[in-house]
Amino acid sequence: GMDDHGSLTGWYVFNAIGIYPYSPADPQYIVSVRMFDKIERKLGNGKIFTINKKGRGKNMDKVTIGGKPLKGWFIDHDDLTNGKELNIFTK
């Protein structure tokens, strides 16, 4: 059945790409190690949001957004909608 109304599918997709909404009402995403080496998402405004996994490890070492080091493990929704590139470095 559809007991979860698709929420488990959404959870899986977010985890697979390496970001997950912190909470439904919060404009931040928590960053995690993703399954794919590169993901590009064309946004409604014509910009492209890219997530790159650098390295073959399973543990995050460093994260950059728009070429600048990320402080902590959260990105803002504005960074996503502005088409910034997210790089996840693993070790």
Side-chain angles (χ1 to χ4, degrees), residues 3-69:
D3 295 342
D4 69 346
H5 301 282
S7 63
L8 287 177
T9 303
W11 173 86
Y12 175 79
V13 170
F14 272 117
N15 275 325
I17 67 171
I19 60 174
Y20 192 80
Y22 185 63
S23 76
D26 200 347
Q28 290 186 317
Y29 299 85
I30 203 164
V31 178
S32 63
V33 177
R34 36 193 287 271
M35 293 176 61
F36 308 100
D37 292 332
K38 183 174 184 175
I39 293 172
E40 291 183 339
R41 176 75 174 132
K42 186 173 182 180
L43 307 173
N45 60 9
K47 296 181 180 181
I48 296 175
F49 177 63
T50 304
I51 306 172
N52 296 304
K53 179 181 173 188
K54 309 277 187 170
R56 297 279 172 218
K58 294 183 181 182
N59 298 312
M60 285 191 300
D61 186 35
K62 179 174 87 169
V63 178
T64 63
I65 184 81
K68 297 180 181 177

